[in-house]
Amino acid sequence: MYKDASNNRRDDHMDRWTWMMARMYAPAVGALAIGLLLMLPLGMIRESQLLSGIYAVARLAPALAIVASVIFGLIATVRLWRWDQGSSPLVCECGGLLGRERPGRFGAYRKCLACSRNVNEKYYT
């Protein structure tokens, strides 16, 4: 957020760097939400006579989802830290980080997390 010079009010929109960070941390937030939602039915499963046999396995699901969330968050943090330090090899021309590799009609490509442009593999390998 930055201040507007004309009337000193804050703009409430997100710039492309904030969107890039949101895209990087989205899998971690999603896994955390799944982990928290998986905790809700555990009480009912534990008390049910019919489903009590699967409780031992089902009680591990929220913990695994939360561990996955922490791992996804750490991966995003390390990638952003390396990008900030200038040591990330997967950078778009706009300066944003590139996402995962995807198959395409003209070869593999990666989508820029800042400007959403598709970058062909010959420009980042």
Side-chain angles (χ1 to χ4, degrees):
M1 304 272 188
Y2 61 94
K3 291 189 175 182
D4 190 5
S6 62
N7 57 8
N8 286 335
R9 67 181 172 92
R10 290 173 45 173
D11 289 334
D12 290 329
H13 67 279
M14 292 174 58
D15 61 350
R16 65 184 177 146
W17 307 115
T18 309
W19 277 113
M20 182 177 72
M21 287 180 51
R23 288 182 187 122
M24 294 281 296
Y25 285 110
V29 172
L32 181 64
I34 289 172
L36 294 176
L37 288 174
L38 286 174
M39 288 182 192
L40 295 175
L42 282 181
M44 293 181 294
I45 291 174
R46 180 178 52 207
E47 295 171 5
S48 172
Q49 297 277 335
L50 185 65
L51 300 174
S52 62
I54 65 167
Y55 175 73
V57 176
R59 70 185 177 124
L60 296 177
L64 291 175
I66 292 172
V67 167
S69 172
V70 170
I71 290 171
F72 292 153
L74 286 174
I75 290 171
T77 301
V78 167
R79 285 193 66 200
L80 285 169
W81 178 73
R82 289 185 65 209
W83 170 73
D84 188 46
Q85 300 296 316
S87 61
S88 179
L90 299 173
V91 178
C92 180
E93 291 176 357
C94 74
L97 276 170
L98 296 177
R100 64 180 174 87
E101 190 170 272
R102 305 169 188 201
R105 182 170 44 165
F106 301 111
Y109 71 95
R110 293 178 186 259
K111 186 176 283 286
C112 177
L113 296 173
C115 69
S116 298
R117 198 177 98 208
N118 294 333
V119 180
N120 194 304
E121 69 179 336
K122 64 183 173 184
Y123 296 113
Y124 62 82
T125 55

